[in-house]
Amino acid sequence: MFALLEGILGWQVSTQRGDWAQSMDLYRVLFFCLGLLTCPGVMAVTSEELLRFMKTMEQPLGRRSFIRTGHIHTLEQLLLNASFPGHNLTLQTGSIQSLVFKLACNFTGLSLNSATLEPGLQPRAPHAMQFPAELTQDACRTRLADLRLICIYFFTNLFFQDESNSSLLNNYVLGAQLGHQQVNNLSEPVNISFWHNQSLEGYTLTCVFWKERDSQHSQGTWSPEGCRTEQPSPSQVLCHCNHLTYFAVLMQLSSAQLPAELRAPLEYISLVGCSISIVASLLVILLYIQARKHSDSIVRIHMNLHVSVLLLNVAFLLSSTLAVAPVPGMACTALAAALHYALLSCLTWMAIEGFNLYLLLGRVYNIYIRHYVLKLCMLGWGVPALLVLLLLAVKSSVYGPYAIPLAHTQENHMGFQNNVSMCWVCSPVVHGVLVMGYGGLMSLFNLVVLAWALWALRRLRAGQKAPSAQACRDTVTVLGLTVLLGTTWALAFFSFGIFLLPQLFLFTISNSFYGFFLFLWFCSQRCHSQAEARTEMEGVSSSLMTTH
């Protein structure tokens, strides 16, 4: 009854706009539903009244998305209580089609096709839905009354507008509901087919469902959770989903798609590289804890970078692994936020390494700053935490399951199948600003610092006739600085055109093994410091011997 009341409140607001005739029609439907509310024992509605309500739904309401949501819930309730002869009912208006089926516990499955559902109507792009026999099993365990399966097809996206104003294939939204039951986690999926006759070159197709927000006045969002995308032919998109709700195919502009053939090698490189980096980072942290009494500010900054890299690798492996399993929404949101925080912290500490390098080379004898490391820790750990917590407080839905579509070559077309899922940032705006933009600024700053450091090193060696050993050490220093400053993360901006395939492997290898490369840099610096200490001790010993 709450859904009916919500729909009625929506109608009252909508009557404030429109002419007198439309208002009278709305009030007739309003008084009809008020009668239903006051007489709960008589809930049956006729097909004529349903058609009148469906036509009312098509009237313009501006951007009042919460009113349209109330109308959808009201239509669902009315269809579940509709009175009609036979076992099925079909109703059609200009942009909405409603279907009702009476089911029994001996249900063996159902296939619906637009070719048989819309005879004699204006031609539309075909669509189909296939329901498995498993659909009624849970409902029949709890009650023996007749079940009703309702299907509501919207041939417009006006009822499902998210904040990103996403584009949908054919502007189709196909929905289904089994009585008042929540149908989830089906072992045999519901298959939804969308046919089209348009060119999809440059688009990424993803099967999604409409996820309503908790707040009545906020817009919903499209989520790929529980759905798998497949393209059996150039003109068909097939969605396999393990639940019942409202489904559509999301169209997103994509300059480059990941070839499915590269999924296995890239995942293997990522798994091996991140695992080795985790072990290497742990070793460095343990060595630092052992000798922390003799450490200076430079070593402490290095250790914070190692900790951030360790967190990043652990969060990445958990995100990509747990997203495959059915993870609760809140758990995936928390994991995505943790991964985002680890990435921002890692990028920030890379920039701090660049800033510290500038101070070391540019202000050799004037580098005292009160509570220097503490202030850097507030910057490196505090700023990313503030950004992520702000996003969670304002709009937590920016984090969640994120599907990476794979393009695989079939005989004469491109398909999309077996999407790679991970818990990550779902909002394109947040991804553009606080992932690509933030990372781009940090990488640009460190590239400038690296170029300046190389210039300083070249100026230092200009007046010297450096032997081959010194030149070798300079080369190692340059490579070490390149790793320390994380400049390889700038490869993320070359994922287009002919650079795509080389960039995929270079970026995956360099950044998966980033923790291991830092470990090698740490070992080289440690050996260099020990060698200098031995040389200094030998010099002191020889001077003492000469004095005696």
Side-chain angles (χ1 to χ4, degrees):
M1 301 303 286
F2 174 76
L4 284 173
L5 182 60
E6 187 181 13
I8 290 172
L9 293 176
W11 288 340
Q12 288 176 322
V13 177
S14 66
T15 56
Q16 296 176 3
R17 295 183 181 182
D19 54 20
W20 173 255
Q22 290 178 338
S23 299
M24 291 301 296
D25 289 338
L26 290 173
Y27 279 119
R28 290 191 190 100
V29 181
L30 174 61
F31 287 133
F32 162 71
C33 286
L34 283 174
L36 292 180
L37 288 173
T38 55
C39 303
V42 184
M43 289 294 293
V45 294
T46 64
S47 58
E48 290 78 10
E49 291 162 339
L50 282 170
L51 276 174
R52 188 185 311 162
F53 175 65
M54 291 167 60
K55 291 178 181 178
T56 302
M57 291 178 63
E58 295 177 326
Q59 295 180 7
L61 294 177
R63 297 187 61 84
R64 300 176 182 267
S65 59
F66 64 95
I67 298 178
R68 294 191 182 277
T69 302
H71 283 180
I72 294 172
H73 292 326
T74 305
L75 178 59
E76 294 170 354
Q77 298 297 320
L78 295 177
L79 290 173
L80 289 174
N81 296 281
S83 175
F84 57 91
H87 295 283
N88 61 283
L89 172 68
T90 302
L91 301 173
Q92 176 78 50
T93 60
S95 59
I96 306 174
Q97 184 180 33
S98 299
L99 311 170
V100 187
F101 299 91
K102 296 178 181 178
L103 305 182
C105 289
N106 59 353
F107 179 70
T108 59
L110 178 65
S111 296
L112 305 176
N113 194 300
S114 59
T116 57
L117 294 175
E118 305 176 8
L121 295 179
Q122 58 180 355
R124 287 195 181 100
H127 57 86
M129 295 188 77
Q130 183 180 7
F131 301 94
E134 179 192 357
L135 190 68
T136 60
Q137 289 182 1
D138 289 341
C140 289
R141 292 192 189 102
T142 58
R143 62 176 188 175
L144 299 176
D146 290 340
L147 298 173
R148 286 197 178 189
L149 174 67
I150 62 172
C151 299
I152 306 177
Y153 301 155
F154 294 94
F155 307 111
T156 174
N157 64 348
L158 294 179
F159 295 88
F160 303 89
Q161 292 183 343
D162 58 1
E163 295 180 357
S164 303
N165 198 20
S166 302
S167 299
L168 304 179
L169 182 63
N170 301 330
N171 284 331
Y172 280 10
V173 180
L174 309 182
Q177 178 179 334
L178 182 65
H180 299 280
Q181 300 280 335
Q182 290 288 336
V183 179
N184 297 308
N185 300 321
L186 294 171
S187 58
E188 186 178 351
V190 178
N191 298 322
I192 310 103
S193 294
F194 299 82
W195 281 269
H196 60 91
N197 55 4
Q198 54 185 301
S199 174
L200 300 178
E201 184 178 358
Y203 282 96
T204 297
L205 303 181
T206 308
C207 291
V208 292
F209 77 95
W210 183 250
K211 188 175 183 179
E212 293 184 6
R213 297 287 177 82
D214 297 332
S215 174
Q216 179 184 2
H217 297 278
S218 61
Q219 294 175 305
T221 184
W222 293 108
S223 171
E225 188 177 359
C227 292
R228 184 167 57 90
T229 309
E230 184 179 349
Q231 190 173 0
S233 68
S235 60
Q236 181 187 3
V237 179
L238 179 59
C239 301
H240 307 277
C241 300
N242 64 359
H243 54 283
L244 290 186
T245 182
Y246 292 93
F247 304 101
V249 176
L250 195 64
M251 298 174 60
Q252 296 174 306
L253 283 173
S254 177
S255 57
Q257 293 132 10
L258 178 65
E261 295 80 5
L262 300 181
R263 174 182 177 178
L266 289 175
E267 285 184 345
Y268 181 77
I269 293 172
S270 299
L271 177 62
V272 174
C274 290
S275 301
I276 293 176
S277 294
I278 289 174
V279 175
S281 298
L282 284 173
L283 286 175
V284 173
I285 294 171
L286 292 175
L287 290 174
Y288 165 73
I289 293 175
Q290 183 183 7
R292 63 183 180 275
K293 293 182 179 179
H294 307 286
S295 62
D296 55 8
S297 61
I298 300 176
V299 176
R300 293 193 185 103
I301 293 172
H302 291 343
M303 288 308 105
N304 279 280
L305 177 60
H306 278 283
V307 173
S308 67
V309 172
L310 175 64
L311 293 178
L312 178 60
N313 286 320
V314 172
F316 175 77
L317 289 182
L318 289 176
S319 174
S320 57
T321 302
L322 296 182
V324 179
V327 179
M330 291 300 296
C332 191
T333 299
L335 192 56
L339 178 59
H340 191 204
Y341 171 72
L343 176 63
L344 294 180
S345 299
C346 188
L347 293 171
T348 306
W349 278 107
M350 292 175 190
I352 290 174
E353 288 280 7
F355 174 73
N356 190 63
L357 179 64
Y358 165 75
L359 292 182
L360 289 174
L361 295 180
R363 300 173 58 189
V364 178
Y365 301 106
N366 301 304
I367 193 176
Y368 177 76
I369 301 176
R370 184 179 176 85
H371 302 303
Y372 179 54
V373 177
L374 178 61
K375 292 177 180 177
L376 292 182
C377 286
M378 294 176 61
L379 177 65
W381 299 112
V383 172
L386 181 64
L387 293 174
V388 173
L389 290 176
L390 185 63
L391 286 175
L392 288 173
V394 174
K395 186 181 177 185
S396 61
S397 61
V398 299
Y399 298 114
Y402 178 76
I404 304 174
L406 301 177
H408 63 93
T409 306
Q410 297 180 358
E411 293 182 357
N412 52 7
H413 68 279
M414 295 296 291
F416 301 86
Q417 190 175 11
N418 300 328
N419 293 353
V420 178
S421 297
M422 64 181 300
C423 299
W424 182 229
V425 178
C426 300
S427 170
V429 177
V430 176
H431 185 273
V433 176
L434 289 182
V435 177
M436 300 302 293
Y438 194 91
L441 286 177
M442 299 300 107
S443 298
L444 180 61
F445 173 75
N446 280 354
L447 284 172
V448 172
V449 172
L450 178 63
W452 179 81
L454 295 179
W455 174 79
L457 182 63
R458 183 176 180 274
R459 186 182 60 177
L460 183 64
R461 304 300 185 198
Q464 303 177 3
K465 191 173 183 181
S468 58
Q470 185 64 48
C472 183
R473 283 196 295 269
D474 289 346
T475 302
V476 173
T477 301
V478 171
L479 292 176
L481 291 176
T482 303
V483 171
L484 185 66
L485 299 178
T487 53
T488 54
W489 288 86
L491 291 170
F493 297 94
F494 293 90
S495 57
F496 58 88
I498 60 174
F499 301 104
L500 176 62
L501 294 182
Q503 180 269 348
L504 284 175
F505 282 94
L506 288 175
F507 182 86
T508 304
I509 293 172
S510 59
N511 295 316
S512 296
F513 287 89
Y514 181 67
F516 177 68
F517 295 150
L518 281 179
F519 170 75
L520 296 180
W521 168 258
F522 174 81
C523 293
S524 66
Q525 292 298 104
R526 189 182 179 92
C527 293
H528 181 66
S529 299
Q530 291 175 352
E532 286 186 343
R534 283 196 302 268
T535 303
E536 185 177 352
M537 289 297 297
E538 291 174 357
V540 171
S541 300
S542 61
S543 63
L544 289 175
M545 291 177 64
T546 55
T547 56
H548 292 287

